[in-house]
Amino acid sequence: MAKDSREHILEVSFSLFLRKSFKAVTMQEIVEKTGLSKGAFYHYFDSKEQVFEEVVRNFYKDLLSHDFDKFSRESLKAFYCDYLESSRHIIQEFQKMEKGRNIKEHFNYYSLIFDAIARIPSFKKMFAEENQRELDIWGKIIATAKKNGEIKTGIANEKIARMFMHIGDGYGLNMILLNTANVQSEFAYELKSIWDGLYSLLKV
């Protein structure tokens, strides 16, 4: 039961921080939304900062880190198709946590990451390391694609890797800023179309 209560606190807090921001959410609001007594709540967490740090670490580990070991290595295209499928899964997990609410209103993880970088010294390093790990993985896939003749280009592997990664990040942010209606279906579909276009150019 203790584990369930702790996880319940983190889930409720995650939803609040995601929809608002660290500054906008109060400790009293978190306690009230969990439905726990103050005594029961403070048995697990002493401050909003402590709750936020654990929420961010769980959020990043469970919802933002792709399991690249499961992605295909047969081709660059197969790899990025698996990446998009993983992204669909991540969005579905957000929807489950938000209990069916429209994801466009709450898909605000950029703000959550910015808050985390500003308030948790170790998070910026962790975020940078994960970003570099992803860049390295893309680079290896691209190198293999060149070696196998799948793509033909003189552009450096790292630059191509950054193209794929930054296009994905930028497109996701653009959809959020434009308040696009159906993020789950449109994001993966439209991003695939863009990545397919880049892939075609690399094959020339």
Side-chain angles (χ1 to χ4, degrees):
M1 184 66 182
K3 183 179 179 181
D4 291 341
S5 296
R6 188 181 189 86
E7 289 179 352
H8 174 64
I9 292 171
L10 293 174
E11 182 176 325
V12 170
S13 301
F14 171 79
S15 181
L16 288 172
F17 288 133
L18 191 63
R19 280 184 277 147
K20 295 184 175 183
S21 67
F22 174 83
K23 186 176 181 180
V25 176
T26 66
M27 191 67 161
Q28 180 179 348
E29 183 178 14
I30 296 173
V31 174
E32 289 176 354
K33 291 293 185 181
T34 61
L36 299 173
S37 67
K38 286 187 177 180
F41 186 94
Y42 282 96
H43 173 73
Y44 300 102
F45 298 100
D46 298 326
S47 65
K48 184 174 74 169
E49 288 76 12
Q50 186 183 14
V51 176
F52 182 69
E53 181 166 356
E54 189 159 343
V55 162
V56 167
R57 293 190 182 282
N58 285 355
F59 154 81
Y60 193 79
K61 178 185 67 176
D62 296 338
L63 293 178
L64 285 188
S65 296
H66 294 280
D67 189 353
F68 292 108
D69 290 338
K70 294 182 179 179
F71 290 12
S72 174
R73 298 293 197 274
E74 292 182 4
S75 69
L76 173 58
K77 187 165 187 176
F79 176 83
Y80 74 68
C81 285
D82 282 351
Y83 190 105
L84 292 169
E85 186 59 36
S86 176
S87 297
R88 287 192 191 95
H89 175 72
I90 287 172
I91 294 173
Q92 288 172 351
E93 290 302 307
F94 271 110
Q95 288 182 316
K96 288 178 184 177
M97 295 188 75
E98 285 299 287
K99 297 178 174 60
R101 293 176 181 174
N102 195 326
I103 198 70
K104 71 178 181 180
E105 298 175 359
H106 312 309
F107 200 73
N108 195 26
Y109 70 82
Y110 288 96
S111 178
L112 192 66
I113 290 175
F114 294 153
D115 276 345
I117 289 174
R119 298 176 183 281
I120 306 172
S122 62
F123 182 78
K124 184 175 183 179
K125 180 181 178 182
M126 183 177 74
F127 183 80
E129 289 174 348
E130 180 64 22
N131 187 76
Q132 185 60 51
R133 185 176 78 91
E134 180 175 342
L135 185 64
D136 292 342
I137 291 171
W138 275 100
K140 290 178 182 178
I141 295 298
I142 291 163
T144 301
K146 283 183 176 181
K147 183 178 179 180
N148 294 341
E150 181 186 359
I151 60 175
K152 300 175 182 179
T153 177
I155 302 174
N157 297 346
E158 182 176 329
K159 287 186 178 180
I160 299 172
R162 290 187 184 279
M163 287 180 191
F164 277 99
M165 290 173 62
H166 294 172
I167 286 172
D169 291 341
Y171 184 67
L173 180 58
N174 182 256
M175 292 191 76
I176 293 166
L177 293 175
L178 293 178
N179 206 25
T180 303
N182 194 348
V183 172
Q184 180 181 347
S185 62
E186 292 185 20
F187 175 78
Y189 177 79
E190 293 296 337
L191 182 55
K192 183 179 185 301
S193 177
I194 296 170
W195 278 356
D196 282 345
L198 174 57
Y199 179 73
S200 296
L201 291 174
L202 296 171
K203 291 177 67 177
V204 176

